[in-house]
Amino acid sequence: MSALNEPGQLAVENVRTLAPYVPGKPIEELQRELGLTDIIKLASNENPFGASPQALAAMQRAIADTWLYPDGSGHMLKQKLAAKLGVAPDQITLGNGSNDLLVMLAEAFLAPGLEAVYSQYAFAVYPIAVQATGAKGVVTPGLPADSPMPLGHDLQAMARAITPRTRVVFIANPNNPTGTWVPAAELHAFIAATPPHVIVALDEAYFEYTAGLGLQDGIAWLREFPNLVVFRTFSKAYGLAGVRVGYAVSHPSVAGMLNRVRQAFNVSVVGLAGAAAALDDTAHLSAAVKVAVEERARVAAQLTKAGTRVLPSAGNFLMVHVGPGAKERFDTLLRRGVIVRPVGNYGLPEHLRVTLGTVEQNDRFLKAWEA
Ligand SMILES: Cc1ncc(COP(=O)(O)O)c(C=O)c1O
């Protein structure tokens, strides 16, 4: 294939050989394909209750300012986050979603000749962000399917994979798509034993859903571990996935490096306003989290009763083992207007991931599943 007919082939090799991220199927696409009107999407771990009314009002007000560039330093949002988290504003980096920050971290700390370690079945953005830099992704095997945290991160294997060339270790706790987690004590011991030349990227995208399960609050560990970077997002529990706001909390010197590769205006006027207002509406957040946590247990129990194997989850979603019929099951659900997430791109063609919706949506999913 020549560069003449395929100019894309001029891209650098590590980008040409990248497998692109596979997003959940949009509702409009299924509408077009099957002519259905009443569709629910339980495929992208969004919050079915949406954004807080206060955030919606703030974003509506902010629309009037969209002819202006946003505050590139995100001053107001950083001040609010710093006060809430008990850190200094210069420890915070804002991102166009936390995905943006994961990419910034890779850009700032990785290059050809260096390595990043992540677990098999870890969040799909890590390999993409790493490979795009030309660094080597070192994948450690997921925990066995019959372990208490099936397919989860094996911290011992991850520790063994660290070499003098390693600069970043990615840990999603809990992990997407598996939902599995590592207990706080084990993770603490892992970070304590990680050599100082390695940044520990701790992805806490689902932090708000984890209470009571023995997971960490990574931000509380930042004083102890200067090489720790914690990633959080407004996309999940705060219901703001569409406006793309996330943040990383780190040592100020790491934040300084992320800031060097950050696009100057990476968070929009609307996103900044919505996220800041969302922080004030703790009632909306807790109500959404409460339903997700209750539904996590209820839907898991129902699926288990129906003979389906459900992985433990600390997120707002469940990973289920369907078996060889997973693709057919996915298609059947689509025909019934329910979009879930196939995870074949993770090397898991026999599993499906389902996001917890409202009680009514989950009932509809369960009915479609069991019929
Ligand atoms: C583990 C994990 N990290 C990060 C993200 C990125 O989310 P966002 O870019 O919307 O903040 C996701 C989204 O699905 C996720 O599951």
Side-chain angles (χ1 to χ4, degrees), residues 32-33 45 52 74-75 78 90 96 110 113 170 175 197 199 234 239 284 288 310 321-322 326 346 362 368 370:
R32 278 197 305 276
E33 285 171 4
N45 299 346
S52 127
H75 178 78
K78 275 197 201 166
D90 67 357
N96 192 247
L110 295 171
F170 289 94
N175 180 46
H197 70 272
I199 296 282
F234 285 91
H284 181 83
V310 183
H321 182 234
V322 184
Y346 281 91
N362 298 334
E370 287 163 17

Side-chain angles (χ1 to χ4, degrees), residues 120-121 151 177 319-331 340-353 369:
Q120 186 185 16
Y121 316 124
L151 317 179
M319 177 85 136
V320 295
H321 182 234
V322 184
K327 170 79 175 80
E328 286 73 44
R329 180 69 72 123
F330 171 71
D331 289 336
V340 299
R341 185 73 159 263
V343 280
N345 59 316
Y346 281 91
L348 294 168
E350 297 197 348
H351 290 71
L352 292 173
R353 193 196 69 191
W369 184 272

Side-chain angles (χ1 to χ4, degrees), residues 147-224:
S147 79
M149 285 294 162
L151 317 179
H153 290 30
D154 178 345
L155 289 188
Q156 284 168 9
M158 294 182 80
R160 284 195 302 271
I162 292 173
T163 72
R165 292 175 301 280
T166 310
R167 286 295 171 279
V168 183
V169 175
F170 289 94
I171 295 171
N173 211 36
N175 180 46
N176 168 26
T178 58
T180 51
W181 66 95
V182 176
E186 276 177 42
L187 183 57
H188 187 272
F190 171 87
I191 302 173
T194 301
H197 70 272
V198 178
I199 296 282
V200 179
L202 178 56
D203 185 344
E204 294 188 338
Y206 300 94
F207 173 75
E208 291 81 5
Y209 300 102
T210 63
L213 293 176
L215 283 89
Q216 77 291 337
D217 169 352
I219 291 173
W221 292 349
L222 285 167
R223 277 178 196 281
E224 197 179 345

Side-chain angles (χ1 to χ4, degrees), residues 3 12 24 44 56 58 70 105 116 154 169 242 279 281 292 305 313 370:
V12 291
S44 299
L56 289 175
L105 185 88
D154 178 345
V169 175
L279 283 178
D281 195 348
K305 219 169 86 190
S313 173
E370 287 163 17

